[in-house]
Amino acid sequence: MEKETERIATVVPVEEEDAEGLVAEIYADIKRVKGIKFVPNFWKVLAVYPPQLEQVWNQLKAIMHPEDSGREGLLSPQTREMIAVAVSASNGCSYCVNSHTASLKKLGVSQESIGEVLAVAGLLNQTFPPVFECRRLMRPEIEFAADLECPETA
């Protein structure tokens, strides 16, 4: 009899105990790199198609965890996760916001700082659409002002 899994996606996630081969290796790497004891559901869903799991994990690891490959990122881990929280909020992905918020807390970022990140994202999401429309309508004036206010750097 097949074990019942809570439906979290349109596909049946690959649970850790069912993972084999490449998927099991990637799951172990996810837990090691992120310093967690479980594989988040996001990865279990991607594991339904192992090539995609591998591609997404390798991309995420390269950008979000460059230290794992011996590279020093130009941004701190906290800054990378703050960007991830802001983009996740902008995309309306509560799962992603919660995941990246947990990462920020693990990195020692205060609740107040996370709130400020979300406030900045919210403010820019609130003000960007009207400004973008205004720029389209007033392109010559905006470009002239931009030339005056933003000199090229040497």
Side-chain angles (χ1 to χ4, degrees):
M1 182 173 202
E2 192 174 310
K3 177 179 81 169
E4 244 183 74
T5 302
E6 178 186 352
R7 185 179 174 104
I8 59 171
T10 56
V11 295
V12 177
V14 178
E15 297 298 332
E16 288 185 68
E17 59 269 13
D18 300 325
E20 298 175 347
L22 178 63
V23 172
E25 290 173 26
I26 294 171
Y27 280 7
D29 198 38
I30 290 168
K31 293 192 294 188
R32 179 187 63 77
V33 170
K34 293 190 157 294
I36 55 179
K37 297 179 190 290
F38 64 95
V39 175
N41 288 333
F42 173 79
W43 301 107
K44 292 177 185 178
V45 170
L46 289 180
V48 170
Y49 186 63
Q52 183 180 26
L53 171 67
E54 182 178 35
Q55 176 196 1
V56 173
W57 172 242
N58 286 335
Q59 285 181 304
L60 183 131
K61 188 167 59 167
I63 301 298
M64 295 299 287
H65 304 281
E67 300 81 6
D68 187 66
S69 63
R71 290 188 309 109
E72 186 174 327
L74 299 176
L75 301 175
S76 70
Q78 292 87 344
T79 301
R80 291 191 294 265
E81 288 293 343
M82 286 179 180
I83 293 168
V85 164
V87 171
S88 296
S90 297
N91 288 340
C93 180
S94 60
Y95 176 92
C96 302
V97 170
N98 290 331
S99 174
H100 293 292
T101 297
S103 294
L104 281 170
K105 288 179 179 177
K106 189 173 182 179
L107 291 167
V109 176
S110 71
Q111 188 75 18
E112 293 79 13
S113 294
I114 296 168
E116 186 174 359
V117 169
L118 292 170
V120 169
L123 174 66
L124 294 177
N125 281 322
Q126 183 180 22
T127 58
F128 181 73
V131 170
F132 184 73
E133 181 62 20
C134 178
R135 181 181 172 113
R136 186 182 68 76
L137 295 173
M138 300 178 61
R139 180 169 280 329
E141 294 85 351
I142 297 292
E143 288 176 356
F144 175 75
D147 287 343
L148 292 177
E149 296 176 19
C150 302
E152 291 185 356
T153 55

